[in-house]
Amino acid sequence: MKSNDWLHGFRHSSPYINAHRGRTVVLTLPGDAIEHRNFINIIHDITLLASLGIRLVVAFGARPQIQSRLDDAGLESSFSRGLRVTPDHHLPLVMEAIGGLRGYIESQMSMGLVNSPMHNARIRVSSGNYVMARPVGVLDGTDFGYTGRVRRVDSRGIEQLLEMGHIVLLPPMGYSPTGDAFNLSYEDVGSQVAAALQAEKLIVFIDDEGLLEEDGALIRELSARQASERLHGNMVTGHDAALLQAACDACVKGVRRAHIISYAEDGALLEELFTRDGSGTLVSGDNYEQIRQARVEDIGGILELIQPLEEQGILVRRSREMLETEVDRFVVVERDGTIVGCAALYHYQDESAGELSCFAVNPEYRRAGRGDELLAMIEKMARGLGLTKLFALTTQTEHWFLERGFQVGEVKDLPGPKLASYNTQRNSKVFFKNL
């Protein structure tokens, strides 16, 4: 039987395609990624993103290529504070290596063979002097020579190219009003450009699947604050620290999200942008996941969440019409535009009681505290209404409620209107909690 997995995935990617169209995404590619066998797949994915109307800026690095060129010339490299020292006699070779790499990337983005994913793509790639730089100077007695830092970004010039549908390619080079060229960190270029453009996303490529814990487990999400704490606590070191710092800096300066993903994994870029959970480590400057009051546009997501539980007999069936009239009673957990949790509060003012109802969390997102956060939100709403107790009816999750301070009650203790509508066939157990 023919598998339609691709069809299912393609259809479910449409909300993400719509969300990203017209948005600016900055990608940072290390020189190691450009030498990796998966690089051609990354080029194909970049072309696909451009064809979907995403505005792309690509900042690339050239460290291994620069090192190779210096080695060929018999010149010794030196480093300090994670930066290459660039004396004046090294600068021509650095520029040669970067220029050659830029030409190679442009050639790959110009591919249009009939049997390639880029057939008829007609990608336009533009580059130029859009990054102004200043010298690092002398630090700890080391003169960094022509190694520099980003001073200013010509965001207007880049925006004009993006408006014309060009991919903007930025080398790790910056220029000064004195006519000097400086060797820059590509992480610095990507982060500063993303901030200057107020990009929707910064994509940082790394050799691993993302940032890893000491035991090798993938770190899925970090806020900018948590990322900063890890950096200051020396929990991330080496090149990973530079990448995380770039992501953190971009988020602090207004970029909504930074994604640290693998350049070695085929399709990691598409998976990160077009699936709910992505493929690497997310660093966010805002709430990637939030609990909020439900809105009418959430009804479809609520129905999709609760219908499997209704079919299993865990929740009472609710029609779309009922949800439309009662949506103001609901709170939802929204994760990247998808409803992954919900709960409702029905209040009985005469008895100062509230019912926690239609309580559901997507099975893929349980055991991460979302249920507790929903309960806390409902309790806060109940107290705001002057209610003194909360009750819930359940057939499956009695221990969950007991562990959170609820006490077993009796059906006869329910508020009058709820008692009158109690379904004896479901035989739900009743739990109460004083607020």
Side-chain angles (χ1 to χ4, degrees):
M1 184 176 179
K2 184 178 179 180
S3 172
N4 284 331
D5 288 348
W6 72 270
L7 182 61
H8 176 82
F10 188 59
R11 285 173 174 163
H12 281 75
S13 69
S14 60
Y16 300 97
I17 294 173
N18 293 329
H20 290 112
R21 185 179 293 113
R23 302 299 179 91
T24 301
V25 175
V26 177
L27 299 94
T28 62
L29 279 168
D32 295 299
I34 300 167
E35 292 186 341
H36 196 274
R37 63 180 180 275
N38 191 51
F39 179 62
I40 189 60
N41 293 322
I42 295 175
I43 289 290
H44 291 161
D45 292 346
I46 288 174
T47 304
L48 175 59
L49 297 183
S51 70
L52 293 173
I54 299 175
R55 295 150 46 105
L56 296 173
V57 178
V58 179
F60 69 90
R63 285 172 188 151
Q65 292 82 6
I66 291 172
Q67 188 62 52
S68 177
R69 186 65 189 89
L70 294 175
D71 289 344
D72 289 344
L75 297 175
E76 186 175 344
S77 299
S78 61
F79 296 83
S80 179
R81 296 193 174 195
L83 295 174
R84 183 189 299 276
V85 176
T86 311
D88 57 357
H89 62 289
H90 284 197
L91 184 61
L93 298 178
V94 169
M95 295 176 69
E96 180 183 314
I98 292 173
L101 199 57
R102 171 183 158 183
Y104 172 70
I105 296 172
E106 288 180 350
S107 71
Q108 297 303 294
M109 288 186 175
S110 302
M111 188 186 304
L113 296 176
V114 173
N115 61 346
S116 80
M118 296 175 66
H119 180 53
N120 284 332
R122 296 188 177 91
I123 295 298
R124 291 181 174 86
V125 183
S126 294
S127 189
N129 60 336
Y130 298 106
V131 177
M132 301 297 105
R134 59 177 176 82
V136 169
V138 180
L139 296 175
D140 299 329
T142 298
D143 184 353
F144 281 82
Y146 285 89
T147 296
R149 298 190 190 281
V150 175
R151 179 179 183 180
R152 183 174 60 82
V153 175
D154 181 6
S155 55
R156 183 178 178 184
I158 295 174
E159 287 281 1
Q160 289 174 341
L161 292 174
L162 294 175
E163 287 294 332
M164 291 189 293
H166 293 212
I167 293 177
V168 179
L169 184 64
L170 297 178
M173 295 291 298
Y175 308 95
S176 74
T178 61
D180 291 312
F182 291 95
N183 178 18
L184 304 180
S185 157
Y186 79 93
E187 302 98 332
D188 189 27
V189 173
S191 180
Q192 297 288 350
V193 169
L197 297 175
Q198 289 294 281
E200 181 75 10
K201 295 178 186 293
L202 170 66
I203 306 291
V204 179
F205 284 93
I206 192 173
D207 54 348
D208 287 317
E209 57 181 323
L211 290 180
L212 306 179
E213 299 279 13
E214 289 185 0
D215 61 0
L218 176 65
I219 302 172
R220 297 292 304 177
E221 301 169 24
L222 290 172
S223 66
R225 177 184 56 79
Q226 290 170 327
S228 180
E229 289 172 352
R230 283 179 174 264
L231 288 166
H232 289 131
N234 293 320
M235 299 170 66
V236 183
T237 58
H239 190 218
D240 286 2
L243 294 172
L244 183 57
Q245 186 68 62
C248 186
D249 289 346
C251 288
V252 168
K253 293 177 181 177
V255 177
R256 289 191 62 202
R257 298 170 192 165
H259 306 257
I260 302 174
I261 64 173
S262 172
Y263 62 70
E265 180 183 343
D266 186 14
L269 176 59
L270 301 183
E271 185 178 354
E272 186 63 43
L273 293 180
F274 298 128
T275 65
R276 183 186 301 167
D277 294 316
S279 64
T281 300
L282 168 72
V283 180
S284 60
D286 58 3
N287 288 328
Y288 171 63
E289 183 174 298
Q290 60 176 326
I291 297 181
R292 58 169 175 79
Q293 192 75 37
R295 301 186 288 259
V296 173
E297 56 264 36
D298 298 323
I299 290 174
I302 294 173
L303 280 170
E304 185 175 350
L305 176 67
I306 66 177
Q307 279 176 348
L309 300 175
E310 291 173 347
E311 292 169 1
Q312 296 171 42
I314 297 173
L315 292 180
V316 176
R317 290 189 179 273
R318 286 174 170 80
S319 65
R320 176 178 285 272
E321 292 72 22
M322 179 182 292
L323 284 175
E324 288 175 351
T325 59
E326 298 181 347
V327 70
D328 60 336
R329 301 177 185 270
F330 280 75
V331 294
V332 295
V333 180
E334 181 189 22
R335 179 185 173 87
D336 205 21
T338 301
I339 304 302
V340 299
C342 70
L345 175 65
Y346 294 81
H347 51 89
Y348 301 85
Q349 212 69 45
D350 291 343
E351 279 108 330
S352 297
E355 179 186 8
L356 170 62
S357 183
C358 200
F359 188 59
V361 177
N362 186 306
E364 295 179 15
Y365 297 95
R366 292 174 187 166
R367 293 180 293 277
R370 294 178 178 88
D372 292 298
E373 292 173 353
L374 280 168
L375 175 59
M377 185 78 163
I378 292 293
E379 290 180 355
K380 181 179 179 180
M381 291 170 58
R383 292 190 186 97
L385 293 169
L387 307 181
T388 59
K389 59 185 176 182
L390 197 65
F391 70 91
L393 278 65
T394 182
T395 60
Q396 304 275 318
T397 56
E398 60 181 284
H399 284 278
W400 191 92
F401 287 101
L402 289 171
E403 291 166 8
R404 285 153 181 83
F406 284 78
Q407 303 292 324
V408 177
E410 295 183 14
V411 174
K412 65 180 180 61
D413 297 326
L414 291 170
K418 187 64 183 180
L419 178 60
S421 63
Y422 178 79
N423 187 339
T424 55
Q425 290 185 332
R426 282 181 59 83
N427 195 28
S428 301
K429 295 184 178 181
V430 182
F431 295 87
F432 286 87
K433 182 177 182 180
N434 293 324
L435 299 175

